[in-house]
């Protein structure tokens, strides 16, 4: 295939076309509606939910249900805002494109490259986690071997047609949804006392082990912080929608089903866990809440079953992160915010940005082996609050773009933010509130400081580039 060079998009002050700031070489539209539907469904089920939620339960007790509900409401508002802008102007750069149009090129640069770093570090973390499971199953093997295998597989699938990415995610999502659906059914039967060999726990585990708030509001805050970051990754569906058969319909459908997905998978599963077993059961942290519940219900081979599901969740996240990172960096390059060499499309796929994103992810893996307590830890800290920075850009962008769209092309508002602008301000205030809550804990405050530092570097760089472009005109 002959490559097609990228072309820069309109800068600040230039009226965007329908293609907008993301106009450049044509990406393929190989994602079918079934792909987008399953990506949207599976995107809310990550390894953080299956494993990481244990620490949140240990801190918050039964109030983890409230923590996930509150953070879920915030995520719903963010996704609604993002959905409104993405349905009006679908773009592979998603919120980075919207931030550029609404605030300025520096904002698109900052949000886009921040998200790219977040995804690439995520690729490394997920590869290491998946390799750990494989080494547990095959003790004679080395972790680096599995990392290399997984990186090669998913880099390869993303280098091929986008439909390959869609097929992988379709089946990954189907397995995750099936697993958590079975868990919810078994848990509900146990709560009702219908499951053979079990008695209904009633409300004892919710109120009888120190009450609903056993560690007070401090515990609830820790659980809230843990739950907020478990929702990261939902933004990828708006990136993928730009390569679907019907971008507007795909975005609208994904956003409109966000509420029941979050309520069912996150809040519902947390409610099952803290109702079926005591929140202070050591197995909740040691084995993970889902394994602890399945063992409590005497489900055979619960640990191995969940290891398979966690492996699937990790591989799914790896695949999605390589895809999301490559499309975000491609969009940035196409808008003149990155090395022009990378902005070439081969067969409808930006293969050079796929390779660049995979390479950075693999380097991050090596850093975790060579300097786990220094450089890799710095990387993890720098992206610790990155998703909250992105959400802040989304809220500010939507405040500007909604009024602009209403004025210039109201027919594009096929998805509307509820009670605009009031709920937008609520979401913005809540996001800033979570950032401030991070100052309460030593670990999260360190992450916040590092993330603020990365944000400042990117913002200054982006602003300098913006001024340089303006000076050349």
């Amino acid at each position: 295939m002959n490559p097609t060079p990228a072309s820069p998009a309109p800068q600040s002050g230039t009226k965007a076309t329908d293609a907008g700031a993301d106009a450049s070489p044509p990406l393929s539209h190989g994602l079918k509606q079934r792909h987008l539907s399953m990506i949207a469904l599976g995107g809310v089920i990550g390894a953080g939910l299956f494993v990481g939620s244990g620490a949140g339960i240990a801190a918050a007790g039964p109030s983890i249900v409230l923590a996930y509900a509150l953070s879920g409401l915030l995520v719903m508002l963010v996704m609604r805002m993002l959905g409104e802008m993405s349905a009006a102007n679908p773009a592979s750069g998603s919120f980075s494109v919207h931030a550029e149009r609404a605030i300025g090129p520096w904002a698109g640069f900052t949000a886009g490259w921040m998200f790219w770093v977040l995804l690439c570090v995520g690729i490394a973390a997920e590869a290491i986690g998946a390799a750990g499971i494989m080494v547990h199953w095959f003790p004679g093997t080395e972790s680096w071997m599995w990392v290399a295998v997984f990186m090669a597989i998913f880099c390869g699938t993303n280098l091929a047609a986008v439909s390959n990415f869609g097929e992988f995610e379709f089946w990954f999502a189907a397995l995750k949804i099936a697993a958590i659906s079975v868990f919810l059914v078994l848990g509900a039967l146990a709560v009702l006392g219908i499951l053979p060999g079990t008695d209904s726990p009633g409300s004892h585990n919710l109120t009888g082990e120190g009450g609903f708030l056993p560690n007070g509001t401090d515990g609830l805050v820790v659980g809230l912080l843990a739950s907020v970051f478990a929702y990261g990754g939902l933004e990828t569906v708006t990136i993928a929608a730009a390569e679907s058969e019907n971008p507007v319909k795909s975005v609208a459908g994904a956003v409109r089903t966000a509420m029941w997905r979050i309520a069912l998978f996150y809040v519902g599963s947390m409610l099952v866990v803290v109702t079926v077993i005591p929140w202070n059961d050591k197995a909740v942290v040691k084995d993970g809440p889902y394994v602890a519940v399945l063992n409590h219900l005497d489900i055979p081979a619960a640990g191995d079953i969940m290891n398979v599901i966690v492996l699937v969740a990790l591989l799914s996240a790896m695949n999605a992160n390589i895809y999301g990172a490559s499309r975000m960096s491609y969009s940035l390059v196409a808008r003149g915010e990155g090395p022009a060499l990378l902005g070439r499309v081969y067969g409808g796929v930006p293969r050079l940005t796929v390779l660049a994103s995979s390479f950075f992810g693999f380097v991050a893996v090596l850093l975790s082996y060579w300097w786990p307590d220094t450089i890799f830890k710095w990387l993890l800290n720098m992206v610790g609050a990155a998703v909250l920075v992105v959400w802040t850009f989304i809220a500010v962008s939507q405040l500007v773009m909604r009024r602009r769209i209403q004025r210039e092309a109201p027919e594009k508002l096929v998805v509307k933010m509820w009670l605009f602008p009031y709920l937008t301000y609520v979401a913005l205030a809540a996001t800033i509130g979570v950032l401030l809550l991070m100052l309460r804990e030593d670990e999260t405050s360190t992450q916040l400081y590092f993330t603020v530092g990365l944000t400042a570097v990117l913002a200054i760089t982006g602003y300098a580039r913006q001024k340089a472009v303006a000076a050349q005109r």
Side-chain angles (χ1 to χ4, degrees), residues 136-169:
H136 173 73
W137 286 341
F138 303 97
T141 60
E142 295 289 338
S143 178
W144 67 266
M145 297 166 51
W146 294 110
V147 169
V149 168
F150 294 144
M151 290 295 294
I153 290 173
F154 294 115
C155 180
T157 60
N158 278 278
L159 285 171
V162 70
S163 58
N164 287 355
F165 160 75
E167 281 299 318
F168 266 93
E169 281 306 291

mmCIF file of all heavy atoms in Angstrom, residues 136-169:
data_model
loop_
_atom_site.group_PDB
_atom_site.id
_atom_site.type_symbol
_atom_site.label_atom_id
_atom_site.label_comp_id
_atom_site.label_asym_id
_atom_site.label_seq_id
_atom_site.Cartn_x
_atom_site.Cartn_y
_atom_site.Cartn_z
ATOM 1 N N HIS A 136 2.958 -18.136 36.636
ATOM 2 C CA HIS A 136 2.325 -18.931 37.699
ATOM 3 C C HIS A 136 1.833 -20.263 37.150
ATOM 4 O O HIS A 136 1.943 -21.300 37.818
ATOM 5 C CB HIS A 136 1.173 -18.136 38.308
ATOM 6 C CG HIS A 136 0.355 -18.919 39.299
ATOM 7 N ND1 HIS A 136 0.815 -19.231 40.557
ATOM 8 C CD2 HIS A 136 -0.900 -19.464 39.200
ATOM 9 C CE1 HIS A 136 -0.106 -19.936 41.203
ATOM 10 N NE2 HIS A 136 -1.149 -20.082 40.403
ATOM 11 N N TRP A 137 1.310 -20.243 35.939
ATOM 12 C CA TRP A 137 0.816 -21.474 35.323
ATOM 13 C C TRP A 137 1.946 -22.340 34.765
ATOM 14 O O TRP A 137 1.862 -23.555 34.737
ATOM 15 C CB TRP A 137 -0.166 -21.135 34.192
ATOM 16 C CG TRP A 137 -1.499 -20.658 34.662
ATOM 17 C CD1 TRP A 137 -2.045 -20.823 35.898
ATOM 18 C CD2 TRP A 137 -2.469 -19.925 33.896
ATOM 19 N NE1 TRP A 137 -3.287 -20.246 35.963
ATOM 20 C CE2 TRP A 137 -3.577 -19.689 34.745
ATOM 21 C CE3 TRP A 137 -2.502 -19.449 32.599
ATOM 22 C CZ2 TRP A 137 -4.710 -18.995 34.325
ATOM 23 C CZ3 TRP A 137 -3.639 -18.756 32.174
ATOM 24 C CH2 TRP A 137 -4.725 -18.539 33.026
ATOM 25 N N PHE A 138 3.004 -21.664 34.288
ATOM 26 C CA PHE A 138 4.141 -22.369 33.690
ATOM 27 C C PHE A 138 5.420 -21.934 34.401
ATOM 28 O O PHE A 138 6.156 -21.069 33.915
ATOM 29 C CB PHE A 138 4.234 -22.054 32.183
ATOM 30 C CG PHE A 138 2.982 -22.393 31.417
ATOM 31 C CD1 PHE A 138 2.037 -21.422 31.139
ATOM 32 C CD2 PHE A 138 2.747 -23.698 30.988
ATOM 33 C CE1 PHE A 138 0.875 -21.727 30.440
ATOM 34 C CE2 PHE A 138 1.590 -24.015 30.288
ATOM 35 C CZ PHE A 138 0.647 -23.042 30.016
ATOM 36 N N PRO A 139 5.697 -22.532 35.566
ATOM 37 C CA PRO A 139 6.791 -22.071 36.436
ATOM 38 C C PRO A 139 8.172 -22.060 35.785
ATOM 39 O O PRO A 139 9.041 -21.302 36.192
ATOM 40 C CB PRO A 139 6.749 -23.065 37.603
ATOM 41 C CG PRO A 139 5.354 -23.606 37.590
ATOM 42 C CD PRO A 139 4.946 -23.645 36.164
ATOM 43 N N GLY A 140 8.385 -22.861 34.760
ATOM 44 C CA GLY A 140 9.704 -22.924 34.148
ATOM 45 C C GLY A 140 9.984 -21.818 33.153
ATOM 46 O O GLY A 140 11.092 -21.743 32.608
ATOM 47 N N THR A 141 9.018 -20.962 32.936
ATOM 48 C CA THR A 141 9.173 -19.901 31.936
ATOM 49 C C THR A 141 9.582 -18.583 32.586
ATOM 50 O O THR A 141 9.498 -18.428 33.803
ATOM 51 C CB THR A 141 7.872 -19.701 31.154
ATOM 52 O OG1 THR A 141 6.817 -19.344 32.069
ATOM 53 C CG2 THR A 141 7.479 -20.980 30.411
ATOM 54 N N GLU A 142 10.022 -17.657 31.740
ATOM 55 C CA GLU A 142 10.436 -16.335 32.221
ATOM 56 C C GLU A 142 9.383 -15.291 31.862
ATOM 57 O O GLU A 142 8.738 -15.377 30.806
ATOM 58 C CB GLU A 142 11.766 -15.936 31.593
ATOM 59 C CG GLU A 142 12.934 -16.817 31.980
ATOM 60 C CD GLU A 142 13.351 -16.627 33.430
ATOM 61 O OE1 GLU A 142 13.037 -15.560 34.004
ATOM 62 O OE2 GLU A 142 13.986 -17.537 33.988
ATOM 63 N N SER A 143 9.235 -14.291 32.718
ATOM 64 C CA SER A 143 8.238 -13.257 32.512
ATOM 65 C C SER A 143 8.451 -12.515 31.198
ATOM 66 O O SER A 143 7.502 -12.230 30.461
ATOM 67 C CB SER A 143 8.264 -12.269 33.684
ATOM 68 O OG SER A 143 7.327 -11.234 33.488
ATOM 69 N N TRP A 144 9.729 -12.216 30.866
ATOM 70 C CA TRP A 144 10.015 -11.427 29.666
ATOM 71 C C TRP A 144 9.563 -12.150 28.392
ATOM 72 O O TRP A 144 9.199 -11.515 27.405
ATOM 73 C CB TRP A 144 11.488 -11.079 29.584
ATOM 74 C CG TRP A 144 12.410 -12.260 29.367
ATOM 75 C CD1 TRP A 144 13.061 -12.972 30.326
ATOM 76 C CD2 TRP A 144 12.769 -12.849 28.110
ATOM 77 N NE1 TRP A 144 13.810 -13.980 29.760
ATOM 78 C CE2 TRP A 144 13.643 -13.920 28.396
ATOM 79 C CE3 TRP A 144 12.431 -12.578 26.786
ATOM 80 C CZ2 TRP A 144 14.190 -14.724 27.401
ATOM 81 C CZ3 TRP A 144 12.972 -13.380 25.786
ATOM 82 C CH2 TRP A 144 13.841 -14.436 26.090
ATOM 83 N N MET A 145 9.580 -13.491 28.429
ATOM 84 C CA MET A 145 9.152 -14.261 27.264
ATOM 85 C C MET A 145 7.680 -13.992 26.960
ATOM 86 O O MET A 145 7.288 -13.771 25.807
ATOM 87 C CB MET A 145 9.376 -15.759 27.504
ATOM 88 C CG MET A 145 10.823 -16.154 27.691
ATOM 89 S SD MET A 145 11.015 -17.837 28.361
ATOM 90 C CE MET A 145 9.974 -18.768 27.235
ATOM 91 N N TRP A 146 6.867 -14.010 28.004
ATOM 92 C CA TRP A 146 5.428 -13.796 27.818
ATOM 93 C C TRP A 146 5.142 -12.357 27.414
ATOM 94 O O TRP A 146 4.258 -12.100 26.598
ATOM 95 C CB TRP A 146 4.674 -14.159 29.094
ATOM 96 C CG TRP A 146 4.751 -15.623 29.396
ATOM 97 C CD1 TRP A 146 5.433 -16.232 30.411
ATOM 98 C CD2 TRP A 146 4.120 -16.676 28.650
ATOM 99 N NE1 TRP A 146 5.281 -17.587 30.351
ATOM 100 C CE2 TRP A 146 4.468 -17.903 29.289
ATOM 101 C CE3 TRP A 146 3.298 -16.710 27.531
ATOM 102 C CZ2 TRP A 146 4.021 -19.127 28.830
ATOM 103 C CZ3 TRP A 146 2.845 -17.936 27.070
ATOM 104 C CH2 TRP A 146 3.204 -19.128 27.702
ATOM 105 N N VAL A 147 5.887 -11.415 27.998
ATOM 106 C CA VAL A 147 5.721 -10.010 27.605
ATOM 107 C C VAL A 147 5.990 -9.859 26.114
ATOM 108 O O VAL A 147 5.229 -9.215 25.380
ATOM 109 C CB VAL A 147 6.661 -9.093 28.414
ATOM 110 C CG1 VAL A 147 6.681 -7.687 27.809
ATOM 111 C CG2 VAL A 147 6.213 -9.020 29.868
ATOM 112 N N ALA A 148 7.080 -10.468 25.648
ATOM 113 C CA ALA A 148 7.435 -10.376 24.232
ATOM 114 C C ALA A 148 6.349 -10.990 23.347
ATOM 115 O O ALA A 148 5.992 -10.435 22.300
ATOM 116 C CB ALA A 148 8.775 -11.071 23.983
ATOM 117 N N VAL A 149 5.821 -12.134 23.775
ATOM 118 C CA VAL A 149 4.772 -12.803 23.002
ATOM 119 C C VAL A 149 3.528 -11.925 22.913
ATOM 120 O O VAL A 149 2.964 -11.712 21.825
ATOM 121 C CB VAL A 149 4.418 -14.168 23.627
ATOM 122 C CG1 VAL A 149 3.135 -14.737 23.001
ATOM 123 C CG2 VAL A 149 5.560 -15.160 23.428
ATOM 124 N N PHE A 150 3.080 -11.409 24.061
ATOM 125 C CA PHE A 150 1.859 -10.596 24.073
ATOM 126 C C PHE A 150 2.036 -9.308 23.273
ATOM 127 O O PHE A 150 1.133 -8.891 22.531
ATOM 128 C CB PHE A 150 1.455 -10.269 25.510
ATOM 129 C CG PHE A 150 1.035 -11.470 26.317
ATOM 130 C CD1 PHE A 150 1.338 -11.570 27.664
ATOM 131 C CD2 PHE A 150 0.341 -12.510 25.720
ATOM 132 C CE1 PHE A 150 0.949 -12.677 28.410
ATOM 133 C CE2 PHE A 150 -0.051 -13.622 26.451
ATOM 134 C CZ PHE A 150 0.266 -13.706 27.801
ATOM 135 N N MET A 151 3.194 -8.667 23.437
ATOM 136 C CA MET A 151 3.437 -7.427 22.701
ATOM 137 C C MET A 151 3.440 -7.688 21.192
ATOM 138 O O MET A 151 2.878 -6.913 20.409
ATOM 139 C CB MET A 151 4.766 -6.805 23.123
ATOM 140 C CG MET A 151 4.793 -6.234 24.534
ATOM 141 S SD MET A 151 3.693 -4.823 24.776
ATOM 142 C CE MET A 151 4.455 -3.610 23.732
ATOM 143 N N ALA A 152 4.049 -8.807 20.781
ATOM 144 C CA ALA A 152 4.103 -9.144 19.351
ATOM 145 C C ALA A 152 2.713 -9.420 18.806
ATOM 146 O O ALA A 152 2.353 -8.955 17.716
ATOM 147 C CB ALA A 152 5.011 -10.358 19.139
ATOM 148 N N ILE A 153 1.914 -10.161 19.571
ATOM 149 C CA ILE A 153 0.565 -10.515 19.107
ATOM 150 C C ILE A 153 -0.289 -9.268 18.913
ATOM 151 O O ILE A 153 -0.892 -9.068 17.848
ATOM 152 C CB ILE A 153 -0.125 -11.474 20.106
ATOM 153 C CG1 ILE A 153 0.541 -12.853 20.063
ATOM 154 C CG2 ILE A 153 -1.621 -11.599 19.789
ATOM 155 C CD1 ILE A 153 0.029 -13.800 21.122
ATOM 156 N N PHE A 154 -0.324 -8.417 19.923
ATOM 157 C CA PHE A 154 -1.249 -7.286 19.860
ATOM 158 C C PHE A 154 -0.721 -6.135 19.021
ATOM 159 O O PHE A 154 -1.515 -5.379 18.448
ATOM 160 C CB PHE A 154 -1.640 -6.844 21.269
ATOM 161 C CG PHE A 154 -2.436 -7.893 21.987
ATOM 162 C CD1 PHE A 154 -1.942 -8.523 23.107
ATOM 163 C CD2 PHE A 154 -3.669 -8.293 21.497
ATOM 164 C CE1 PHE A 154 -2.671 -9.512 23.748
ATOM 165 C CE2 PHE A 154 -4.404 -9.277 22.123
ATOM 166 C CZ PHE A 154 -3.898 -9.895 23.252
ATOM 167 N N CYS A 155 0.586 -6.028 18.927
ATOM 168 C CA CYS A 155 1.130 -5.065 17.971
ATOM 169 C C CYS A 155 0.776 -5.532 16.562
ATOM 170 O O CYS A 155 0.357 -4.736 15.719
ATOM 171 C CB CYS A 155 2.640 -4.945 18.130
ATOM 172 S SG CYS A 155 3.407 -3.774 16.985
ATOM 173 N N GLY A 156 0.900 -6.839 16.327
ATOM 174 C CA GLY A 156 0.572 -7.395 15.024
ATOM 175 C C GLY A 156 -0.882 -7.217 14.649
ATOM 176 O O GLY A 156 -1.208 -6.829 13.517
ATOM 177 N N THR A 157 -1.786 -7.472 15.578
ATOM 178 C CA THR A 157 -3.214 -7.322 15.265
ATOM 179 C C THR A 157 -3.573 -5.874 14.976
ATOM 180 O O THR A 157 -4.420 -5.590 14.132
ATOM 181 C CB THR A 157 -4.090 -7.839 16.418
ATOM 182 O OG1 THR A 157 -3.798 -7.103 17.617
ATOM 183 C CG2 THR A 157 -3.860 -9.315 16.674
ATOM 184 N N ASN A 158 -2.901 -4.945 15.669
ATOM 185 C CA ASN A 158 -3.192 -3.531 15.442
ATOM 186 C C ASN A 158 -2.525 -2.993 14.184
ATOM 187 O O ASN A 158 -2.949 -1.967 13.646
ATOM 188 C CB ASN A 158 -2.768 -2.699 16.662
ATOM 189 C CG ASN A 158 -3.806 -2.719 17.771
ATOM 190 O OD1 ASN A 158 -4.770 -1.968 17.735
ATOM 191 N ND2 ASN A 158 -3.619 -3.598 18.743
ATOM 192 N N LEU A 159 -1.476 -3.675 13.708
ATOM 193 C CA LEU A 159 -0.857 -3.279 12.454
ATOM 194 C C LEU A 159 -1.706 -3.692 11.260
ATOM 195 O O LEU A 159 -1.635 -3.088 10.194
ATOM 196 C CB LEU A 159 0.537 -3.908 12.322
ATOM 197 C CG LEU A 159 1.653 -3.292 13.171
ATOM 198 C CD1 LEU A 159 2.906 -4.148 13.096
ATOM 199 C CD2 LEU A 159 1.953 -1.871 12.724
ATOM 200 N N ALA A 160 -2.496 -4.736 11.444
ATOM 201 C CA ALA A 160 -3.375 -5.206 10.382
ATOM 202 C C ALA A 160 -4.637 -4.351 10.349
ATOM 203 O O ALA A 160 -4.699 -3.281 10.953
ATOM 204 C CB ALA A 160 -3.698 -6.678 10.592
ATOM 205 N N ALA A 161 -5.652 -4.831 9.683
ATOM 206 C CA ALA A 161 -6.896 -4.067 9.544
ATOM 207 C C ALA A 161 -7.523 -3.826 10.908
ATOM 208 O O ALA A 161 -7.420 -4.647 11.825
ATOM 209 C CB ALA A 161 -7.874 -4.821 8.643
ATOM 210 N N VAL A 162 -8.200 -2.676 11.047
ATOM 211 C CA VAL A 162 -8.819 -2.319 12.323
ATOM 212 C C VAL A 162 -9.880 -3.333 12.723
ATOM 213 O O VAL A 162 -10.191 -3.493 13.911
ATOM 214 C CB VAL A 162 -9.427 -0.895 12.249
ATOM 215 C CG1 VAL A 162 -10.663 -0.868 11.343
ATOM 216 C CG2 VAL A 162 -9.779 -0.384 13.643
ATOM 217 N N SER A 163 -10.420 -4.058 11.740
ATOM 218 C CA SER A 163 -11.419 -5.078 12.055
ATOM 219 C C SER A 163 -10.826 -6.188 12.920
ATOM 220 O O SER A 163 -11.537 -6.825 13.692
ATOM 221 C CB SER A 163 -12.000 -5.673 10.772
ATOM 222 O OG SER A 163 -10.979 -6.229 9.963
ATOM 223 N N ASN A 164 -9.499 -6.422 12.797
ATOM 224 C CA ASN A 164 -8.841 -7.418 13.659
ATOM 225 C C ASN A 164 -8.895 -6.981 15.117
ATOM 226 O O ASN A 164 -9.169 -7.789 16.011
ATOM 227 C CB ASN A 164 -7.380 -7.612 13.233
ATOM 228 C CG ASN A 164 -7.251 -8.383 11.949
ATOM 229 O OD1 ASN A 164 -8.241 -8.858 11.399
ATOM 230 N ND2 ASN A 164 -6.031 -8.515 11.448
ATOM 231 N N PHE A 165 -8.585 -5.702 15.343
ATOM 232 C CA PHE A 165 -8.719 -5.164 16.703
ATOM 233 C C PHE A 165 -10.150 -5.344 17.195
ATOM 234 O O PHE A 165 -10.389 -5.779 18.326
ATOM 235 C CB PHE A 165 -8.341 -3.684 16.719
ATOM 236 C CG PHE A 165 -8.888 -2.932 17.905
ATOM 237 C CD1 PHE A 165 -8.332 -3.091 19.161
ATOM 238 C CD2 PHE A 165 -9.978 -2.070 17.765
ATOM 239 C CE1 PHE A 165 -8.841 -2.413 20.259
ATOM 240 C CE2 PHE A 165 -10.490 -1.385 18.852
ATOM 241 C CZ PHE A 165 -9.922 -1.560 20.109
ATOM 242 N N GLY A 166 -11.101 -5.028 16.329
ATOM 243 C CA GLY A 166 -12.504 -5.150 16.709
ATOM 244 C C GLY A 166 -12.895 -6.573 17.055
ATOM 245 O O GLY A 166 -13.631 -6.802 18.021
ATOM 246 N N GLU A 167 -12.393 -7.551 16.282
ATOM 247 C CA GLU A 167 -12.735 -8.949 16.550
ATOM 248 C C GLU A 167 -12.149 -9.420 17.878
ATOM 249 O O GLU A 167 -12.813 -10.108 18.660
ATOM 250 C CB GLU A 167 -12.237 -9.850 15.419
ATOM 251 C CG GLU A 167 -13.117 -9.838 14.181
ATOM 252 C CD GLU A 167 -14.528 -10.333 14.478
ATOM 253 O OE1 GLU A 167 -14.692 -11.322 15.223
ATOM 254 O OE2 GLU A 167 -15.484 -9.704 13.972
ATOM 255 N N PHE A 168 -10.874 -9.075 18.133
ATOM 256 C CA PHE A 168 -10.257 -9.438 19.408
ATOM 257 C C PHE A 168 -11.056 -8.863 20.574
ATOM 258 O O PHE A 168 -11.372 -9.557 21.544
ATOM 259 C CB PHE A 168 -8.808 -8.949 19.465
ATOM 260 C CG PHE A 168 -7.802 -9.971 19.026
ATOM 261 C CD1 PHE A 168 -7.376 -10.021 17.715
ATOM 262 C CD2 PHE A 168 -7.283 -10.872 19.928
ATOM 263 C CE1 PHE A 168 -6.445 -10.960 17.298
ATOM 264 C CE2 PHE A 168 -6.358 -11.825 19.534
ATOM 265 C CZ PHE A 168 -5.926 -11.868 18.207
ATOM 266 N N GLU A 169 -11.376 -7.579 20.476
ATOM 267 C CA GLU A 169 -12.105 -6.940 21.567
ATOM 268 C C GLU A 169 -13.526 -7.495 21.705
ATOM 269 O O GLU A 169 -14.068 -7.563 22.801
ATOM 270 C CB GLU A 169 -12.139 -5.427 21.363
ATOM 271 C CG GLU A 169 -10.854 -4.723 21.752
ATOM 272 C CD GLU A 169 -10.435 -5.049 23.169
ATOM 273 O OE1 GLU A 169 -11.114 -4.615 24.120
ATOM 274 O OE2 GLU A 169 -9.436 -5.756 23.350
#
